[in-house]
Amino acid sequence: MRYISTRGQAPALSFEEVVLTGMANDGGLYVPETVPQLSRETLAEMAGLSYAEIAFRVMKPFVNGEIDDETFRGIVHDAYATFSHDAVVPLNQLDANHFLLELFHGPTLAFKDVALQLLGRLLDHFLAKRGERAVIMGATSGDTGSAAIEGCRHCDNLDIFILHPHNRVSEVQRRQMTSVLADNVFNIAIEGNFDDAQAMVKASFADQGFLNGTRLVAVNSINWARIMAQIVYYVASAVALGAPHRQVSFCVPSANFGNVFAGYMAYRMGLPVKQFIIATNANDILHRTLTANDFSKQELKATLAPSMDIVVSSNFERLLFEAYERDGDAVRGLLERFQSEPTALAEAPLARLRKLFASHSVDDTTILEVIREAHHRTKEVLDPHTATGYRAAERARADAETPMITLATAHPAKFAEAVVKAGFPGVPLPPHMDDLLEREERYTVLPAELAEVQKFVVENRR
Ligand SMILES: *Cc1c(COP(=O)(O)O)cnc(C)c1O
């Protein structure tokens, strides 16, 4: 199995190379050259297996023998042992035919843990094998930073530097990052906003000379291994509800499209999926594209579901590559136009997408209404991201018979602001985190100057 770029001009890579590489050098994203198949028998045999064992079986073909089975099993087992629920990602039945897939039982209470717990360990494995070290740099306005730190805190061969805007991250989110006191974790509070932090990380990737040859690694959602890890819970939840003998549908609160693209991969591997519903907040590029063929950027809106606040959905390119029947030139042309002007998909690819995908956009007022309504009906307190999914699942589902699985992407305690706005007294943190606000913190405040940040990285990496 090799990995190829969605823009058709970068060299094909092995699994190891694709894990250590972010974007392809032609500006595209890596996807597997062929899609491994899960036969009906293979799916049927998964019934009753542990999550880690299903994960091993689903991901094994993508790893392509580049890690021996026993080692890979161990990596997968360790990654999911960090989750606080025995089922790792339990299914919670809301009514006769609507289920929540709770993806928030990992160390930082959001679904990004599922991928980043694995990615940190994979990076560490490959670096150890090569006798190399690497530096991870990332900018965060909250969510991804803490999940990346938790994923890397035990990795001997990695040092991680996460930049956040000083005094502009919620206290819970800041403390989830700064209370990790590991020797290889460095939190930098930038005297500036998120865009300043992001710009310094981008500039560092564009010019890596300051690291004197040490590899700089990105752990953002374009890394193939993150998609791969997320395929697993689609398979595991569908099997729990009767696949391969029964079809299911999924509703996915979406932003960069990494999560729902993983679902699409599961479908392409043979999982019987009737429909994917893409839920967005007011940042609705995916919804506009699917319903009105309006593939254009709009100004960023700050919403009550901040982890879905995006202008561009980077992983949508991977789906476009499939919709355009893997024509890298067509994808490159479309995305180059998209950068500078409003554009639209060609008719045939759009028609292909509409057969499988529906979408729905949910504004802030509706998010609050949904949190109250869902609680009234089911006694569950939803986080604001999951609330977009709950509403979209009701409004956009193709039929009432196929079981609908809505992905619960965050624990409500992590986004208490919206929950309080909806009229609830707040949500307690789960027991293993209830001392978060008393834990010791460690971070360094630096001016928004590239030279200062790079100097700090060079002086502190091990
Ligand atoms: C990142 C995130 C999303 C969006 O996921 P994508 O893979 O970017 O589409 C949704 N909800 C929460 C809580 C997130 O952290």
Side-chain angles (χ1 to χ4, degrees):
M1 159 95 63
R2 309 276 290 171
Y3 292 84
I4 57 170
S5 166
T6 49
R7 300 201 188 177
Q9 295 186 332
L13 299 183
S14 67
F15 177 69
E16 174 174 338
E17 289 164 334
V18 93
V19 170
L20 291 166
T21 308
M23 193 174 277
N25 64 16
D26 59 0
L29 307 183
Y30 277 105
V31 291
E33 191 163 33
T34 53
V35 181
Q37 294 299 300
L38 293 165
S39 68
R40 289 179 65 88
E41 298 71 55
T42 310
L43 286 171
E45 283 165 7
M46 287 179 184
L49 296 182
S50 71
Y51 185 80
E53 182 57 27
I54 293 176
F56 169 77
R57 294 187 185 191
V58 170
M59 294 190 288
K60 180 177 146 76
F62 294 106
V63 176
N64 196 28
E66 293 174 43
I67 308 176
D68 69 76
D69 284 358
E70 196 186 331
T71 306
F72 185 51
R73 244 198 195 96
I75 288 174
V76 172
H77 182 271
D78 290 352
Y80 298 114
T82 63
F83 280 58
S84 62
H85 197 291
D86 287 342
V88 182
V89 293
L91 267 176
N92 176 355
Q93 183 159 11
L94 293 179
D95 63 30
N97 232 355
H98 191 180
F99 299 79
L100 274 186
L101 179 58
E102 295 183 356
L103 301 175
F104 53 69
H105 295 280
T108 73
L109 309 181
F111 90 98
K112 291 188 173 67
D113 290 324
V114 179
L116 285 163
Q117 284 297 315
L118 184 78
L119 178 57
R121 287 169 172 83
L122 285 175
L123 285 168
D124 209 35
H125 169 82
F126 284 130
L127 289 167
K129 195 191 97 184
R130 294 170 162 234
E132 286 179 23
R133 306 187 53 78
V135 167
I136 289 178
M137 272 181 89
T140 191
S141 49
D143 236 9
T144 310
S146 58
I149 287 171
E150 285 290 347
C152 297
R153 64 187 297 178
H154 300 298
C155 298
D156 294 336
N157 305 292
L158 284 169
D159 295 314
I160 179 165
F161 295 81
I162 296 293
L163 283 61
H164 70 264
H166 190 33
N167 294 331
R168 297 190 198 199
V169 173
S170 78
E171 186 176 10
V172 168
Q173 296 211 331
R174 185 192 74 238
R175 284 177 173 276
Q176 282 191 316
M177 299 189 280
T178 58
S179 65
V180 178
L181 303 178
D183 287 345
N184 66 334
V185 171
F186 301 91
N187 280 287
I188 303 176
I190 292 292
E191 291 173 317
N193 59 28
F194 171 70
D195 292 334
D196 297 326
Q198 175 95 315
M200 286 187 283
V201 171
K202 276 199 174 154
S204 300
F205 273 92
D207 177 15
Q208 304 186 14
F210 74 102
L211 281 173
N212 266 323
T214 301
R215 187 190 287 274
L216 190 59
V217 175
V219 292
N220 51 17
S221 71
I222 60 170
N223 191 302
W224 166 255
R226 285 186 58 175
I227 306 281
M228 177 185 80
Q230 293 170 179
I231 297 171
V232 176
Y233 49 71
Y234 288 91
V235 177
S237 60
V239 166
L241 292 185
H245 313 293
R246 187 158 75 143
Q247 274 195 320
V248 297
S249 293
F250 290 97
C251 179
V252 189
S254 294
N256 271 320
F257 209 75
N259 199 357
V260 60
F261 184 76
Y264 174 76
M265 283 301 299
Y267 163 79
R268 289 288 305 273
M269 292 171 78
L271 196 71
V273 179
K274 173 103 181 213
Q275 183 191 28
F276 288 103
I277 298 172
I278 299 165
T280 74
N281 63 20
N283 297 287
D284 60 353
I285 179 167
L286 293 164
H287 179 59
R288 283 184 285 114
T289 303
L290 267 171
T291 54
N293 200 8
D294 167 16
F295 186 43
S296 67
K297 296 183 206 172
Q298 279 186 359
E299 216 166 294
L300 185 74
K301 301 181 186 86
T303 75
L304 290 171
S307 297
M308 288 160 60
D309 289 351
I310 47 96
V311 173
V312 176
S313 289
S314 47
N315 277 292
F316 190 53
E317 176 162 349
R318 286 186 159 118
L319 185 65
L320 289 174
F321 187 58
E322 302 303 332
Y324 278 81
E325 299 186 313
R326 301 199 150 205
D327 179 347
D329 291 337
V331 171
R332 182 156 25 94
L334 176 69
L335 286 155
E336 281 170 7
R337 275 200 308 286
F338 168 78
Q339 281 312 321
S340 50
E341 61 192 72
T343 178
L345 310 194
E347 255 171 50
L350 182 63
R352 277 179 208 118
L353 295 185
R354 284 175 171 164
K355 275 195 190 139
L356 186 62
F357 292 91
S359 63
H360 190 77
S361 162
V362 180
D363 65 16
D364 273 2
T365 315
T366 311
I367 287 177
L368 297 178
E369 185 186 301
V370 173
I371 294 174
R372 287 188 290 266
E373 180 188 298
H375 182 261
H376 180 71
R377 284 205 232 148
T378 69
K379 296 283 171 281
E380 291 295 328
V381 177
L382 303 182
D383 102 283
H385 306 83
T386 306
T388 68
Y390 184 87
R391 173 56 63 94
E394 288 191 331
R395 293 291 159 90
R397 69 194 287 175
D399 63 58
E401 296 75 47
T402 312
M404 175 62 66
I405 302 174
T406 294
L407 274 51
T409 52
H411 189 289
K414 188 158 183 172
F415 295 96
E417 186 202 335
V419 175
V420 170
K421 264 200 178 146
F424 295 87
V427 193
L429 286 162
H432 65 282
M433 286 185 63
D434 62 5
D435 66 337
L436 182 70
L437 300 187
E438 283 100 61
R439 288 183 200 165
E440 185 187 344
E441 290 186 86
R442 194 164 73 201
Y443 61 95
T444 305
V445 182
L446 290 179
E449 281 169 34
L450 182 61
E452 291 281 330
V453 170
Q454 292 187 340
K455 181 162 162 269
F456 181 84
V457 172
V458 169
E459 285 175 358
N460 287 283
R461 66 166 169 151
R462 298 173 307 165

